[in-house]
Amino acid sequence: MSITIARNPRSHSRVYRMLKPYVAEWFKRKYGRFTPPQLAAIPLILMDKNVLISSPTGTGKTLAVFLAILNKLYEMGERGELEDKIYVIYVSPLRALNNDMRRNLLEPINGIVSVAEEMGYEIPEINIAVRTSDTPPSIKQRMVKHPPHILITTPESLAIALSAPKFKLKLSACKWIIVDEIHELCNSKRGVHLSLSIERLEHLVGKPLIRIGLSATISPLEEVAKYLVGFQDDGSPRECIIVDTRFAKPFDIRVKCPIVDMVHSTAEEINEAIYSSLVKLIKKHRTTLVFTNTRSATERVVYKLRKIFEKENIVDADKIEAHHSSLSRGIRLDVEEKLKKGELKCVTCSTSLELGIDIGYIDLVVLLSSPKSVSRLLQRVGRSGHRLRRVSKGRMIVVDRDDLVECTVLAKAARERIIDNVRIPRNSLDVLAQHLVGMALEQKWEINEAYKLVKRSYCYHDLSFEDFMSVLRYLAGKYGELEPHKVYAKIWLDENEGVFGRRRGSKVRMIYYMNSGTIPDEAKIRVYTTDGKYIGVLEEQFLQILVAGDIFVLGGRTYEFKRAIGSIAIAKPCEGQRPTVPSWFSEMLPLSFDSALLVGEFRRIVAEKILSEEKDAVIKWLVREYLLEKHAAENIYEYIREQLIFTNNIIPSDKLIVVEVYDEGRRVNIIFHSLFGRRVNDALSRAYAYILTKMIKMNVRVTVTDNGFMLTIPRPSLKLDLWELLSSVNSNNIGEILRSALRRTELLKRRFRHCAARSFMILRRYMGREKSVHRLQLNAQNLLKIVENLKDFPILKETYREILEDYMDIKNARKVLKWMEEGKLNVTILPPSTVPSPFSHGIILQGYSDIVLMEDKRVLLMRLHEMVKEYLKSIALRKESGEVQLA
């Protein structure tokens, strides 16, 4: 087996004996004992094995790697083999992490040198350097003359270095490649980009690299290991040993329900209860890290906490800070420095402190609302109790009943180490185009040799030769229709001879250096009314989910989206109408498919218990099994019991999709209770909406949540056959339906620009000038009209793939439809009703409210619940009179 799990780690004394005496002595004085990942990993790295280490923050996995590698470098020095060459490349996703790593590496190096001198050993100097886009040209020039032994860099800078004629020669002696935070990289196109860079680096070196990956809690480890090491030419994965110490640290994770009655409390009461719970937790601990799910929520929480602590005069407001990606780098670094020094009482962030930046001692992590996946929950809570034997303590404060159910399930799954699966993008043709240009700059290639190299990457292992050739032909200018639009050839290609290479006389090298990378430039969208009045700006991520007719909030007023031209949106004021797309929706993390199935299973099990056991027994079971407060368990019990009564004992779950029709009079809402997470529901909802539009010849409004989706139509005069709608979408045709549904959307236009920029169809920077995102978008939209008529054009093909596989989740949507076809997943359609079921309230609120109107949201929720109460009373009366027979 190529991928294996490390077994029976060696004893402390044996690992000490494997190290050079001065390295062992320094470690013994500094730390005394090895941690589990160190015991397992150090011997493997000393034996030159490919290793993936998965372990929580603060367990010493990074030190394990560098201790072993420094030991090897000192051995080379003793043998007189250590030259001025780069032997180690350390890749991390954040530039801030790189500077941290350099500082952290200097400590053991200086310490080992000091101990070696004391013991009478003369050891060589180990040099370290950081090379990123922030590195000044003078320092990069110095690296060419005096390369470091250890190079710290980012995926983007590594790809550019591989095509730098002088510097790439310094990489040819590389022995070790270390990929840090691999869980963060492998699930995005940055990770795809890096996987090809590593294969190109190995080709340059001319012999196998020793690959080491460092990861927080992630699953499945075998797939991540394959991503790290790639494949051999015979199709088998290269060898890798997995050090699985994901659960070496103890975790204490609990759910906090801030208020006894989550339905009848006002927005003010719930807000007050949330902050009261939060303040109590902060007061009890030395340093608390609070995670929210959006940047705007981070700012609101910090503002409110400062006010509370100022009023109570307990903690200086300056000891409470915000940290998120929209803040300047200087402010973020200042907050991180204060955290390390223990000067802050509380820091609130969105996702920016999830990664392994050394932030010192945190004794509590609080999550406001669900983190949407078990792995993210463990990653966030793992930021507390930074030492190995300290407990990582996390508390999840819930905001409504759906959130309570979700957090309850995620907390138990985290305690039981049931981790959702990572999703690694495959066959990204835009990233491939970028690397083929980089490869052409290096040398003349035989097509088959280049194809073999690309297929060694995990991300391209099943790439078809046809797709590979289509990208080469595009880069060689074989699509003549594009040349009038300034899309010129970047390489030369001779298919008869079977070779390609750099196009002479062009400015391709400059284009490659100035435009490579995978992170798209995001635009601020300027919004104007139909009569030309400027309103304000929207995030581009938000714009790409809008369709004509959607109603959104900007500056506290409502507008109807009409269309977008480049980076300008046109909207029409529509006062008094409720928003259909909440402003925070594009920022919200989607619930993972695996976690969503666990939520569905939980609903089903609790419903079965409610139908077969006494209330007290069910409450006690929830408290005992899920470590809940009693009032939290009662909220869950009442929520699921109400749904059971409302639907005559039918509960949407992992085994059943329930479709209900909520008739509001002016419009009809078809609500699908499908517990598969937002990415799957996005795919399903768009497919059903497209078919429904064809059926009724009217526009369909779509609302998507993690727990289901809603199709809203004007009240039709015709009879709607929902079974016909359901049977119209299946596992075979959903892909084609979605491609048709996406054809004229903002989502396709924006994503096409991203793919076109990655593949050098449009250039962000050229001849010292930088194009605005507005201009790039207009260029992309013009090109899109042309390539739509070209058969299997690779960059358009990639745009659809990215939307369907990375943005949505068509793979698991197909799986859901397959389950329906095989009878593993049943569907029930409820009779139309003028009252929506309890489980539908969250979906309705998503479609008809906005977080800026929190009070309206609570009022609407209470009104919906009052409607349910009246409906349940009428059922009870009818039951007493014998009109209703409950199953």
Side-chain angles (χ1 to χ4, degrees):
M1 179 71 180
S2 299
I3 309 292
T4 54
I5 305 288
R7 307 284 180 200
N8 305 321
R10 289 164 173 75
S11 66
H12 289 266
S13 57
R14 195 166 169 199
V15 175
Y16 272 123
R17 286 198 300 274
M18 295 176 80
L19 295 167
K20 306 300 293 180
Y22 43 89
V23 175
E25 182 60 26
W26 170 80
F27 187 87
K28 194 176 285 183
R29 290 182 192 179
K30 178 78 176 172
Y31 297 101
R33 289 176 66 79
F34 296 104
T35 64
Q38 290 167 347
L39 273 179
I42 289 171
L44 296 172
I45 297 167
L46 290 173
M47 291 188 285
D48 291 341
K49 300 293 186 184
N50 294 330
V51 181
L52 171 66
I53 309 169
S54 185
S55 189
T57 303
T59 52
K61 56 182 178 286
T62 310
L63 181 58
V65 173
F66 278 112
L67 196 72
I69 288 177
L70 287 172
N71 195 86
K72 299 283 284 188
L73 292 174
Y74 288 130
E75 272 182 4
M76 290 169 68
E78 286 180 7
R79 295 195 300 267
E81 296 171 2
L82 193 70
E83 302 175 50
D84 277 354
K85 291 179 179 176
I86 294 168
Y87 294 103
V88 186
I89 298 176
Y90 167 91
V91 181
S92 117
L94 291 181
R95 285 173 295 190
L97 275 179
N98 289 333
N99 293 313
D100 245 18
M101 181 49 60
R102 185 176 180 279
R103 283 198 300 268
N104 293 345
L105 255 180
L106 287 173
E107 185 194 350
I109 288 172
N110 293 336
I112 290 167
V113 167
S114 177
V115 170
E117 285 174 0
E118 190 185 309
M119 294 174 72
Y121 290 92
E122 191 175 321
I123 62 173
E125 183 183 352
I126 304 292
N127 298 313
I128 314 160
V130 175
R131 185 184 178 100
T132 70
S133 56
D134 289 340
T135 307
S138 58
I139 294 178
K140 287 181 181 175
Q141 284 296 319
R142 205 179 307 152
M143 271 185 226
V144 174
K145 292 176 185 171
H146 306 288
H149 299 113
I150 301 173
L151 178 69
I152 298 171
T153 190
T154 59
E156 292 75 17
S157 292
L158 175 60
I160 290 171
L162 285 166
S163 295
K166 291 179 183 174
F167 191 70
K168 78 170 184 179
L169 299 176
K170 308 301 174 184
L171 302 175
S172 59
C174 181
K175 287 188 70 172
W176 294 274
I177 178 99
I178 303 164
V179 182
D180 201 356
E181 306 285 354
I182 199 168
H183 58 282
E184 179 68 19
L185 282 168
C186 71
N187 66 2
S188 70
K189 284 194 175 181
R190 289 186 82 198
V192 177
H193 190 258
L194 176 62
S195 76
L196 277 180
S197 290
I198 295 173
E199 296 306 332
R200 286 172 60 194
L201 177 64
E202 185 163 299
H203 174 80
L204 172 68
V205 171
K207 58 186 176 184
L209 293 166
I210 300 162
R211 305 177 189 218
I212 301 165
L214 301 172
S215 175
T217 306
I218 196 169
S219 179
L221 287 176
E222 290 77 10
E223 288 304 303
V224 180
K226 287 178 193 172
Y227 164 80
L228 172 68
V229 298
F231 289 83
Q232 301 176 101
D233 286 338
D234 66 2
S236 62
R238 295 184 180 100
E239 287 191 1
C240 184
I241 301 175
I242 297 168
V243 174
D244 182 5
T245 49
R246 289 173 292 180
F247 314 119
K249 279 182 76 178
F251 278 81
D252 171 15
I253 299 172
R254 304 286 179 100
V255 174
K256 302 289 288 181
C257 184
I259 202 157
V260 172
D261 186 347
M262 297 207 78
V263 175
H264 297 102
S265 305
T266 64
E268 196 177 328
E269 287 167 339
I270 286 186
N271 262 337
E272 205 172 294
I274 288 170
Y275 283 106
S276 174
S277 298
L278 187 52
V279 167
K280 278 179 193 166
L281 289 168
I282 293 168
K283 282 180 181 175
K284 282 183 189 171
H285 297 84
R286 196 179 86 186
T287 308
T288 300
L289 180 59
V290 179
F291 281 100
T292 69
N293 284 345
T294 65
R295 294 187 296 272
S296 53
T298 293
E299 292 290 356
R300 282 201 310 277
V301 170
V302 169
Y303 176 78
K304 182 81 172 171
L305 285 177
R306 281 179 170 168
K307 287 282 184 192
I308 292 168
F309 280 106
E310 269 179 5
K311 189 178 176 184
E312 294 187 8
N313 203 24
I314 298 168
V315 176
D316 190 333
D318 290 341
K319 292 191 180 292
I320 295 164
E321 292 283 5
H323 189 290
H324 58 75
S325 56
S326 294
L327 293 170
S328 72
R329 184 166 179 264
I331 291 172
R332 293 200 309 271
L333 289 175
D334 185 47
V335 171
E336 289 160 25
E337 204 56 42
K338 285 178 181 174
L339 257 181
K340 283 178 205 173
K341 292 176 182 173
E343 294 173 3
L344 298 177
K345 185 71 175 169
C346 173
V347 173
T348 302
C349 70
S350 48
T351 57
S352 55
L353 289 177
E354 280 182 359
L355 295 186
I357 299 167
D358 182 9
I359 52 175
Y361 181 72
I362 303 282
D363 53 349
L364 175 69
V365 168
V366 177
L367 295 90
L368 289 178
S369 197
S370 166
K372 299 295 178 181
S373 81
V374 180
S375 50
R376 186 175 286 108
L377 172 57
L378 288 167
Q379 169 86 348
R380 289 179 173 185
V381 174
R383 302 301 274 153
S384 69
H386 203 73
R387 299 285 175 266
L388 176 66
R389 278 163 273 282
R390 290 198 184 267
V391 175
S392 288
K393 187 175 178 183
R395 296 293 180 263
M396 304 161 78
I397 298 178
V398 301
V399 298
D400 58 39
R401 295 196 297 184
D402 282 325
D403 196 36
L404 171 59
V405 168
E406 197 173 294
C407 287
T408 297
V409 172
L410 293 184
K412 185 172 173 64
R415 289 191 294 267
E416 294 178 352
R417 311 305 195 243
I418 302 167
I419 305 165
D420 24 43
N421 290 332
V422 70
R423 176 194 51 79
I424 303 172
R426 308 291 286 267
N427 301 329
S428 304
L429 300 183
D430 52 351
V431 177
L432 175 61
Q434 195 173 121
H435 273 276
L436 289 174
V437 171
M439 289 165 69
L441 291 172
E442 292 169 25
Q443 64 177 71
K444 176 182 171 181
W445 286 85
E446 288 185 8
I447 290 172
N448 288 332
E449 184 191 3
Y451 180 55
K452 273 186 189 174
L453 183 150
V454 168
K455 280 175 69 71
R456 288 175 205 140
S457 155
Y458 172 91
C459 299
Y460 293 94
H461 186 57
D462 56 0
L463 178 74
S464 72
F465 188 67
E466 290 72 25
D467 280 345
F468 180 79
M469 285 306 301
S470 76
V471 175
L472 275 181
R473 289 179 188 125
Y474 147 67
L475 290 172
K478 301 296 183 186
Y479 293 92
E481 299 91 333
L482 298 174
E483 210 162 279
H485 297 270
K486 299 183 180 177
V487 180
Y488 303 115
K490 310 291 186 300
I491 64 170
W492 62 262
L493 169 67
D494 186 332
E495 291 190 52
N496 293 325
E497 197 182 328
V499 289
F500 71 92
R502 179 166 68 92
R503 194 173 180 82
R504 298 198 180 279
S506 64
K507 298 180 173 63
V508 176
R509 189 176 296 279
M510 183 187 70
I511 288 170
Y512 182 76
Y513 290 169
M514 300 300 292
N515 293 274
S516 62
T518 61
I519 302 169
D521 290 335
E522 291 292 342
K524 292 287 185 187
I525 307 298
R526 293 172 66 83
V527 185
Y528 292 86
T529 59
T530 43
D531 57 0
K533 183 184 171 188
Y534 174 65
I535 309 166
V537 295
L538 294 172
E539 296 281 337
E540 185 175 37
Q541 271 188 309
F542 181 63
L543 179 75
Q544 74 178 19
I545 60 175
L546 294 179
V547 295
D550 273 338
I551 294 162
F552 62 93
V553 173
L554 186 58
R557 297 180 183 275
T558 49
Y559 297 91
E560 181 187 337
F561 174 66
K562 290 295 186 185
R563 63 187 180 281
I565 307 155
S567 294
I568 291 170
I570 308 298
K572 179 183 170 187
C574 54
E575 285 304 306
Q577 289 200 50
R578 285 207 183 97
T580 57
V581 186
S583 61
W584 42 265
F585 182 75
S586 61
E587 279 189 70
M588 283 293 287
L589 300 162
L591 181 66
S592 72
F593 179 68
D594 301 304
S595 295
L597 290 178
L598 291 177
V599 174
E601 181 186 38
F602 175 78
R603 281 185 178 183
R604 176 170 50 81
I605 291 168
V606 175
E608 287 166 359
K609 283 188 167 292
I610 289 172
L611 291 171
S612 61
E613 297 178 27
E614 293 294 321
K615 178 178 178 177
D616 282 353
V618 180
I619 300 290
K620 282 177 184 172
W621 174 79
L622 283 167
V623 169
R624 184 180 67 252
E625 291 295 315
Y626 292 87
L627 306 183
L628 290 172
E629 302 154 300
K630 189 183 177 192
H631 69 272
E634 285 169 342
N635 267 289
I636 290 173
Y637 180 93
E638 286 303 324
Y639 188 30
I640 293 176
R641 187 186 72 88
E642 282 176 7
Q643 182 73 16
L644 283 168
I645 296 170
F646 189 99
T647 58
N648 197 11
N649 296 354
I650 295 167
I651 202 93
S653 69
D654 57 330
K655 304 284 187 190
L656 180 67
I657 292 175
V658 174
V659 183
E660 70 172 289
V661 180
Y662 167 40
D663 190 339
E664 288 186 271
R666 290 181 297 113
R667 57 184 165 228
V668 173
N669 304 289
I670 306 159
I671 301 168
F672 289 71
H673 296 272
S674 51
L675 282 99
F676 307 115
R678 197 171 80 218
R679 292 176 59 241
V680 168
N681 283 337
D682 198 345
L684 293 173
S685 64
R686 284 178 193 260
Y688 285 125
Y690 182 78
I691 296 297
L692 185 56
T693 301
K694 298 272 185 200
M695 284 169 66
I696 66 172
K697 307 288 189 292
M698 293 179 186
N699 285 338
V700 176
R701 188 167 286 161
V702 181
T703 301
V704 185
T705 75
D706 290 310
N707 296 333
F709 56 91
M710 181 167 72
L711 308 180
T712 302
I713 56 176
R715 187 179 176 87
S717 53
L718 52 95
K719 185 85 173 163
L720 193 59
D721 187 341
L722 290 181
W723 288 115
E724 184 190 340
L725 173 64
L726 284 161
S727 63
S728 298
V729 179
N730 58 54
S731 56
N732 293 320
N733 68 10
I734 186 172
E736 199 46 53
I737 291 170
L738 285 172
R739 284 183 185 85
S740 299
L742 288 167
R743 209 148 274 157
R744 297 284 175 262
T745 61
E746 284 301 318
L747 180 59
L748 183 73
K749 292 174 191 172
R750 306 276 145 192
R751 293 287 171 143
F752 178 73
R753 186 192 87 229
H754 297 170
C755 295
R758 287 190 201 101
S759 57
F760 306 146
M761 271 189 90
I762 55 175
L763 303 177
R764 293 174 287 181
R765 299 166 196 91
Y766 185 65
M767 300 288 284
R769 291 194 298 273
E770 190 158 341
K771 279 188 186 172
S772 70
V773 179
H774 175 68
R775 174 55 53 193
L776 291 173
Q777 187 62 44
L778 290 174
N779 290 356
Q781 284 171 210
N782 289 333
L783 287 170
L784 180 59
K785 289 172 189 169
I786 294 157
V787 301
E788 278 178 328
N789 299 313
L790 301 177
K791 185 173 167 52
D792 289 333
F793 184 71
I795 310 310
L796 181 57
K797 184 174 182 177
E798 171 56 24
T799 306
Y800 280 113
R801 189 215 61 80
E802 180 183 303
I803 294 170
L804 297 180
E805 294 180 18
D806 303 347
Y807 178 77
M808 298 178 194
D809 184 358
I810 193 170
K811 179 186 169 188
N812 283 318
R814 281 199 178 102
K815 186 184 283 187
V816 167
L817 292 166
K818 195 78 176 164
W819 288 343
M820 289 164 66
E821 290 153 18
E822 293 170 351
K824 293 176 183 173
L825 179 64
N826 294 315
V827 180
T828 293
I829 299 176
L830 300 177
S833 172
T834 55
V835 180
S837 75
F839 280 8
S840 69
H841 294 179
I843 302 170
I844 293 166
L845 286 176
Q846 176 101 321
Y848 294 100
S849 191
D850 193 277
I851 205 73
V852 296
L853 309 170
M854 186 66 182
E855 290 73 17
D856 290 355
K857 184 175 179 178
R858 293 301 309 172
V859 169
L860 181 56
L861 186 61
M862 287 163 72
R863 185 169 67 78
L864 289 171
H865 196 259
E866 286 304 318
M867 288 166 68
V868 168
K869 275 176 67 180
E870 290 301 318
Y871 185 78
L872 295 182
K873 272 185 201 171
S874 71
I875 287 179
L877 289 170
R878 286 159 60 204
K879 186 183 174 188
E880 282 175 23
S881 65
E883 285 180 50
V884 175
Q885 290 294 314
L886 289 184

